[in-house]
Amino acid sequence: MAEAFVIPLWADLLAVGIGALQGALFAAQFRDRRLDWLGVAIIGIVVGFGGGLLRDLLLDVPLAPLQTNWYVVVATGAALLGMLLERVFSRLGRLITALDALTIGLFGAIGTTKALALGIPEVAAVFVGVLAAVGGSILRDMLLTLPIALMHVGSLYAVAAAAGSGAIAVLLSLGVPVLVAATIGVVVTFAVRVASVLFGWSLPEQRSIGRL
Amino acid sequence: MAEAFVIPLWADLLAVGIGALQGALFAAQFRDRRLDWLGVAIIGIVVGFGGGLLRDLLLDVPLAPLQTNWYVVVATGAALLGMLLERVFSRLGRLITALDALTIGLFGAIGTTKALALGIPEVAAVFVGVLAAVGGSILRDMLLTLPIALMHVGSLYAVAAAAGSGAIAVLLSLGVPVLVAATIGVVVTFAVRVASVLFGWSLPEQRSIGRL
Amino acid sequence: MAEAFVIPLWADLLAVGIGALQGALFAAQFRDRRLDWLGVAIIGIVVGFGGGLLRDLLLDVPLAPLQTNWYVVVATGAALLGMLLERVFSRLGRLITALDALTIGLFGAIGTTKALALGIPEVAAVFVGVLAAVGGSILRDMLLTLPIALMHVGSLYAVAAAAGSGAIAVLLSLGVPVLVAATIGVVVTFAVRVASVLFGWSLPEQRSIGRL
């Protein structure tokens, strides 16, 4: 059984803050909907640590983001900062896409290794890792009553998380130390995500085989 | 560590019934959608004890509303009663708003103190308390594919719950007995909620700082 | 306290596969939405074992569909197969409706008896059983931002699951052995569901009593 890959609290909170800030920037597209400050904070919370809550619910363990005050505080603060300084941050689109790619890589690595450490088998652990990485974005779209972006043709997001989480599961089963495996997983997720945005990669649309 | 604030089962069920009845009255606005009796019962269940289910899921404890038959029975019965007698109850709008304000106060107080009693720190406990109070209303809007009302500009609802839950966390940390703290919390939530409806208080709409 | 009704893993996976395949056929109606292969796989997963995840979350036990790799593999595979061979399967509409009726019967029986075996009282156990049976279909509609089909006037679906689950709870309380009770429950659900489709049975639309 593998060890879990853990990162220092400050690094996890930084990732949560980046997610929450990005959630607020996303919400800013919907000015006509009259979201209030609480709505923005809720979006920040679900994008920031919604994936972590889903991960721990699936694993039937105490929910890590509720064991300290920091997650709620950081996610709320980052979301409101993102809302107020939206004009500044929206100029940094590329930087934020890159940071977000790093964030889903980290959340995926933490989720996958935590699941494996609890005895969840490989494929199911990758499923947990992917949901830890992108679950916040699913909840965001559900709360905004939008089509779930990652289910539709577009740049690779959940696939990037799956590639990284899958790499980790394979490497750990080959006996690679968890820190090395997790680092490679984060790099794989980051690379697939960024390449997909740069080169316009996407999955094919649903289709049936024509002649049957 | 604080004790949890508990209320007698009949009082909790009364609050669940009020929530479920209100859910049915809310659903009655959507006559054109062809909701059936089961749809109304589901709305009653999620408004009545959906918040309690979310609270216990977040706290990773057995789900209290499933440990007795009463919650399902009362929520279903109250929802169908609300549906059938909608013309009567819709004349009692003010009374029902007041009872609902009491209900979210109670659910918030129960949720916050239960979280604190389980060792969840203050800010996270307030988060749990607020979700216990208003989570049912979020689930209601999601199941009806409506914009989540409490994320948009309108009278204060989650904020009222947060004010009461926050007051409880502060009072308990000052050593105030749980019964006193919880009572004050319920009064605060009730007062903020009712005042917000009477005086049209609301949170500001999302906005960014103009000149940067 | 009753024993839980368990079925062999292969039978459970077959039921999951039927659910996932049907989810993909359902998604195929929405060609204009540009769902990609991942979107179809997600729909397959939630219809296939979303109900099982909800059941175990409500029961606060480790999530059975994540304790082996097979659930994720079978649901994903069946969904993609359903998507690719949609023209074949869509000719088998009646067979698939019948298999699905069997599937919700099985999921309801497993859910209800598992809840009872964990000490959940009867009515709450039926609630868990129904959600185990139809929860995947609720999640499917939420993820596709559609009105929740089973809350609206139409053929009986959740009611069929409730009839079977209710029958099981009654029979077990009369001392009937779990295998017999579960078999009767599956037959009841199957019969109500199929009869409702054949004869156009439905629940009444929401309405209030006119003269009050």
Side-chain angles (χ1 to χ4, degrees):
Chain A
M1 193 180 297
E3 239 181 306
F5 167 64
V6 286
I7 59 176
L9 182 61
W10 65 264
D12 203 21
L13 290 171
L14 197 61
V16 166
I18 291 165
L21 194 148
Q22 213 194 14
L25 299 181
F26 183 85
Q29 297 171 64
F30 304 98
R31 282 278 157 69
D32 52 324
R33 292 204 184 181
R34 309 210 68 208
L35 279 179
D36 65 15
W37 289 37
L38 176 71
V40 172
I42 291 174
I43 294 301
I45 284 171
V46 300
V47 180
F49 64 84
L53 294 180
L54 288 175
R55 174 198 67 204
D56 291 341
L57 283 172
L58 289 180
L59 296 176
D60 194 27
V61 295
L63 279 59
L66 300 180
Q67 307 307 314
T68 119
N69 287 326
W70 287 109
Y71 288 84
V72 176
V73 170
V74 167
T76 306
L80 295 179
L81 193 74
M83 177 191 78
L84 290 171
L85 304 185
E86 190 255 332
R87 290 176 194 222
V88 180
F89 289 118
S90 60
R91 285 181 215 133
L92 307 173
R94 281 165 178 239
L95 175 64
I96 287 171
T97 298
L99 287 175
D100 183 62
L102 192 62
T103 297
I104 61 169
L106 284 170
F107 287 166
I110 296 167
T112 306
T113 57
K114 187 169 186 176
L116 289 168
L118 288 163
I120 304 290
E122 287 81 1
V123 179
V126 170
F127 175 75
V128 172
V130 172
L131 211 60
V134 306
S137 129
I138 296 176
L139 293 174
R140 176 200 70 190
D141 293 340
M142 290 176 85
L143 287 176
L144 291 171
T145 51
L146 297 170
I148 313 296
L150 64 78
M151 291 173 59
H152 296 80
V153 177
S155 58
L156 303 180
Y157 195 69
V159 170
S165 295
I168 292 170
V170 169
L171 291 169
L172 288 178
S173 73
L174 297 174
V176 173
V178 71
L179 194 64
V180 177
T183 306
I184 295 176
V186 173
V187 170
V188 168
T189 296
F190 183 85
V192 173
R193 172 70 186 141
V194 169
S196 135
V197 172
L198 289 179
F199 306 125
W201 294 350
S202 66
L203 282 184
E205 198 169 329
Q206 69 169 332
R207 78 181 81 178
S208 65
I209 296 175
R211 308 193 170 256
L212 279 165
Chain B
M1 195 181 297
E3 241 180 306
F5 167 64
V6 286
I7 60 177
L9 182 61
W10 65 264
D12 203 20
L13 289 172
L14 196 62
V16 165
I18 292 166
L21 195 148
Q22 212 194 16
L25 299 181
F26 183 85
Q29 297 171 65
F30 304 98
R31 282 276 157 71
D32 52 323
R33 291 201 185 185
R34 309 209 69 208
L35 279 178
D36 65 15
W37 289 36
L38 177 71
V40 172
I42 291 174
I43 294 300
I45 285 172
V46 301
V47 181
F49 62 84
L53 294 179
L54 288 176
R55 172 200 67 203
D56 291 342
L57 282 172
L58 289 180
L59 296 177
D60 195 28
V61 296
L63 278 60
L66 300 180
Q67 307 306 311
T68 120
N69 288 326
W70 286 109
Y71 288 85
V72 176
V73 170
V74 167
T76 305
L80 295 180
L81 194 75
M83 178 191 77
L84 289 171
L85 303 185
E86 191 256 333
R87 290 174 194 224
V88 181
F89 290 118
S90 59
R91 286 182 215 131
L92 307 172
R94 279 165 180 239
L95 175 63
I96 288 172
T97 298
L99 287 175
D100 183 63
L102 193 61
T103 297
I104 60 169
L106 283 170
F107 287 166
I110 296 168
T112 307
T113 57
K114 187 170 186 176
L116 289 168
L118 288 162
I120 304 290
E122 287 81 2
V123 179
V126 170
F127 175 74
V128 172
V130 172
L131 211 60
V134 306
S137 130
I138 296 176
L139 292 175
R140 177 199 70 190
D141 292 341
M142 290 176 85
L143 287 176
L144 290 171
T145 51
L146 297 170
I148 313 297
L150 65 77
M151 291 172 58
H152 297 81
V153 177
S155 59
L156 302 180
Y157 195 69
V159 170
S165 296
I168 291 171
V170 169
L171 291 168
L172 288 177
S173 73
L174 297 174
V176 173
V178 71
L179 195 64
V180 178
T183 306
I184 294 175
V186 174
V187 170
V188 168
T189 296
F190 182 85
V192 173
R193 171 70 186 143
V194 170
S196 133
V197 171
L198 290 179
F199 306 126
W201 295 350
S202 66
L203 283 183
E205 196 169 330
Q206 69 169 331
R207 78 182 81 177
S208 65
I209 297 174
R211 309 196 169 255
L212 280 165
Chain C
M1 193 180 297
E3 241 181 306
F5 167 63
V6 286
I7 59 176
L9 182 61
W10 66 263
D12 202 21
L13 290 172
L14 197 61
V16 165
I18 292 165
L21 194 148
Q22 212 194 15
L25 299 182
F26 182 86
Q29 298 171 63
F30 305 98
R31 281 278 157 69
D32 51 324
R33 291 204 184 181
R34 309 209 69 208
L35 278 179
D36 65 16
W37 288 37
L38 176 70
V40 172
I42 291 173
I43 294 300
I45 284 172
V46 301
V47 180
F49 63 85
L53 294 179
L54 287 176
R55 173 199 67 204
D56 292 341
L57 282 172
L58 289 180
L59 296 176
D60 195 26
V61 295
L63 278 60
L66 300 180
Q67 308 306 312
T68 120
N69 287 327
W70 287 109
Y71 288 84
V72 176
V73 169
V74 167
T76 306
L80 295 180
L81 194 75
M83 177 190 77
L84 290 172
L85 303 185
E86 190 255 333
R87 289 174 194 223
V88 180
F89 289 116
S90 59
R91 286 181 216 134
L92 307 172
R94 279 163 179 242
L95 176 64
I96 287 172
T97 299
L99 288 175
D100 183 62
L102 193 62
T103 297
I104 61 169
L106 284 171
F107 288 165
I110 296 169
T112 306
T113 58
K114 186 169 186 176
L116 289 167
L118 288 162
I120 304 290
E122 288 80 3
V123 180
V126 170
F127 175 74
V128 172
V130 173
L131 210 60
V134 307
S137 129
I138 296 176
L139 292 175
R140 175 199 72 190
D141 293 340
M142 290 176 85
L143 287 176
L144 291 171
T145 49
L146 297 169
I148 312 296
L150 64 79
M151 291 172 59
H152 297 80
V153 177
S155 59
L156 302 180
Y157 195 69
V159 169
S165 295
I168 291 171
V170 169
L171 291 168
L172 288 178
S173 74
L174 297 173
V176 173
V178 70
L179 194 64
V180 177
T183 306
I184 295 176
V186 173
V187 170
V188 168
T189 296
F190 182 85
V192 173
R193 171 70 186 141
V194 169
S196 135
V197 171
L198 290 179
F199 306 125
W201 293 351
S202 65
L203 284 183
E205 196 169 331
Q206 69 168 331
R207 78 183 81 177
S208 64
I209 296 175
R211 307 194 170 256
L212 280 164

